[in-house]
Amino acid sequence: MGLTKQYLRYAASAVFGVIGSQKANIAFVTMRGGERGRFVAVAACEHVFIWDVRKAEKVLILKGNKHEVTYLCPSPDGIYVAVGYEDGAVRIFSLLNGESNVSFNGHKSAVTVIHYDTLGSRLVTGSRDTDVIVWDVINECGLYRLKGHKDAVTQALFLKDKNLLVTSSKDSFVKWWDLDTQHCFKTMLGHRSEVWGMALLNQESRLITGSADSELRAWDINYLQEGREAGEPKEKKGKSLLDDDDEEEEVVDESPEERILSCKKAGSLLREARDRVVSMTTDAKAKVLACHGSDTVLEVFSVLPEDEVERVMAKKLKRAKKKARYVAHSRDHTVTSATCHVYPRWVDCLMCAGGELKVAMLLQNNTVETYSLKTSDKNPTGIKTSRLTLGGHRTDARTLAFSSDNIAVLSASGDTVKVWNRSTLQVIRTMACDYALCSLFVPGDRQIILGTKSGKIQIFDLASGTLLETVDAHNGALWSLCLSPDQRGIVTGGADKTVKFWEFELIKDEDAAQKRLTVKHVRTLQLDEDVLCVKYSPDQRLLAVSLLDCTVKVFYTDTLKFFLSLYGHKLPVLCLDISHDSALIATGSADRNVKIWGLDFGDCHRSMFAHDDSVMFLQFVPKTHLFFTAGKDKKIKQWDADKFEHIQTLEGHHREVWCLAISPNGDHIVSSSHDKSLRLWERTREPIILEEEREMEREAEFEEGMAKGDEPVVPGENKDAEAAPAAKKTIETVKAAERVMEALELYRSESRKMEEHQIACQSAGKQLPPPKANPILVAFGNVSPSRYVLDVIKKVRSSELEVSLLVLPFPYIPDLLSLFNCYVQDGLEVELVCRCLFFLLRIHFGQISSNQMLLTVIDELRINTISKVREIRDVLGFNSAGLQFLQREVESKEEIMFFADATGLLKEKRRKRKKRERAILTIA
């Protein structure tokens, strides 16, 4: 067997340059020992960053999986954060240590909304797959899936005092759900287009909805006792309710049952913005409502007390009778508005002590801003308290470069150029520049040169962080520049169909004490098409130029005579590079192919389909024939130019990858993407075996296909019903079921072995040595086979337990029922065993009830489970009564109160001291 070429794996090292991703919302969180309103949580691609806005630094990173974060919601107690992902998964992180121990898998596509109930024991999630799922956080399992919406769910809210849920969707409907019976009892049809936001105000007696127009609709909610209040006239199903605008608003009852509540349109609030609502949020006590559209206007509404409402109404009615109708509609809210400098994407607000309102905004240019305003002032004004901008670019970084010592990384975007320390990922310098398209470090790493979209060359000094000189180089965009191998100059190519050669020189200004660097134009090569990329061969003998006519022209550097024309690409070549020995040239094109050519005769060695979209960047690893490509398909791939093999794929970016840079020693790669992130990749010592790599790719494709499969079918369940099981079939649930089946097979074999041993002992008339135990049981500490089965079931995730049991074939069920009977008798994991037992009885009821062999087992289970559950309930009741007795004893002896009562009294005192709140001004 011949020796195989060894490749080393590149692995993801860090994500930086992103302050907050636009896809997920922003939320205030409380860290241990920190003041309220000081920390905000924002999504950063697949991670969640916790920022200290006062110090402008990251205090915690909640590391997720490979999928992008789409929504996050802090728990009511402030200890946990629930995070939803693009693949439909939900994970709950602890803010104390940043770890995640609870995860839910139920949605097929991105999670669009997450909310806790008042106690934090339940979680509701909505998704782009139109389903709403309610999860039990304490038991770590799904309760039920609610179906009814026809488009993505945009909001889902629990009601505090009633077991109800209200959801809104892009299908223009708002649905009310009774969680006791898990059905939709009311659908509101009063919107002509998508419902983008929703909030409950006035002790949940008023619902505010935001749609695709400038109107915020207000709905009065009347909760009916025992279905109908006394004296209320009976309404027909589907009755139309006409509001003051003579607009027909229809509310449809979904069932003939007695109604739980009535919901009528009370009126409208007209926003200053004319476009759709992008996000809408309230503070924890729903005293403030903030909303904004896709423009720069952020509006903050304040809910007024009744006496203030009457006073404002009377005043406005008296002043302008023509506006009386509008005042009546907006009678319990006041609003003012102002304009932000940048479009906000998400907003969150927090009411602090003393009537101070803190507002956090995630802007569309990778910026987080926080504001503070005093609601007790007569004319409150918003004060900007912090702005997080240093840790990232406002626009996409279109060019990257490494310094010669592998320490500094340069990134340049449409308005700034930043220099980062590679080891600490901290910004060393930030300098304003024009729209940069290409860049490099000048030899010595003291200056950097940028090529801009306006055709200029900009030279910056790193020590002082100043712009030394701007040189007009081309009449169009300067697409590419390359350092000459002798390090004495550069070559540039632009959209004006020219390639220009420049030499470094030091000049002394009249008012300067020291000389500074500049570039001097020495030669020009005129071409027939726009120049997209230029590259010197490392021996400086040849110059390769990519043109807009889909060809690559190769010229002699000294005479500029034409040498080769490399043609074959169907679309323009966007990137190219030449190997260290000047033997190979690799070209990447917008036709998604990479071609490898020989520089001796210009022959094409191989054409490879590289990416699913345009190849944006290509670069050889120094001193090798390996090269990396970056594409618009979000992937970075490594290739072998000698064997024409794909080595590995670096996945991590969530948008198009614009460029990458490889360090001079080849140990690090940094890449930039449209998701605003910069990613650092590090070469490890782990070798890559290509056959194993292809096998892993096939397994990943299989798992993705399984995740997109059909929902598990539960016997006896109606597929079209409104309520369905919450969990979904994944590769983890299949593996868990396989482990349970393997454990049951081991239990069967060991039981058979013991029966044979007993028969052998009886026939021999003496006690024979026991058979040798299974190595797996020995490895687990010589446990019994039945106990091993229980240990395997315990290791199945609580959220995946039902789906894993659903996959089990029925021949394994009789053995499981017999084992469950033993576990219950011995008092082992009674709660878990009862949960599995009841689920299996429900899904296999027909086969179990018709099997006479299981009759005795079921009868014993009936007796044992009832007695054991009663016993556990009595123990819990005894313990609860004992703790309450001890509490009363301690309070009577020491005259102190425990936490809940003391907190309640303190809140009551604060409420009495609190002054009447006034209208709140929108942040300027």
Side-chain angles (χ1 to χ4, degrees), residues 501-566:
F501 296 81
W502 310 79
E503 287 184 354
F504 297 133
E505 68 176 7
L506 296 172
I507 61 171
K508 187 174 181 180
D509 295 329
E510 296 179 359
D511 55 346
Q514 294 181 340
K515 293 183 178 181
R516 64 171 178 85
L517 181 76
T518 187
V519 288
K520 174 183 167 185
H521 180 217
V522 290
R523 284 192 297 175
T524 299
L525 174 62
Q526 186 68 41
L527 296 165
D528 298 330
E529 296 286 342
D530 292 7
V531 178
L532 299 180
C533 190
V534 293
K535 187 69 67 173
Y536 274 115
S537 63
D539 58 6
Q540 207 168 341
R541 187 174 68 93
L542 301 172
L543 177 72
V545 182
S546 164
L547 300 177
L548 198 61
D549 61 0
C550 311
T551 64
V552 176
K553 299 286 195 296
V554 183
F555 299 89
Y556 289 104
T557 305
D558 50 0
T559 62
L560 297 185
K561 286 186 177 180
F562 175 75
F563 174 49
L564 292 171
S565 178
L566 311 178

Side-chain angles (χ1 to χ4, degrees), residues 240-295:
S240 298
L241 303 174
L242 300 178
D243 67 352
D244 294 335
D245 288 332
D246 296 327
E247 182 185 36
E248 186 174 345
E249 301 292 346
E250 189 177 0
V251 178
V252 176
D253 292 340
E254 295 273 328
S255 70
E257 302 174 6
E258 292 295 326
R259 300 196 314 172
I260 301 171
L261 55 83
S262 66
C263 193
K264 293 183 179 180
K265 185 174 179 184
S268 303
L269 291 167
L270 293 178
R271 297 188 300 121
E272 183 176 320
R274 296 301 176 191
D275 54 354
R276 77 171 180 89
V277 172
V278 172
S279 75
M280 178 189 296
T281 186
T282 64
D283 67 324
K285 295 184 179 179
K287 294 185 177 181
V288 173
L289 173 70
C291 70
H292 67 88
S294 56
D295 56 4

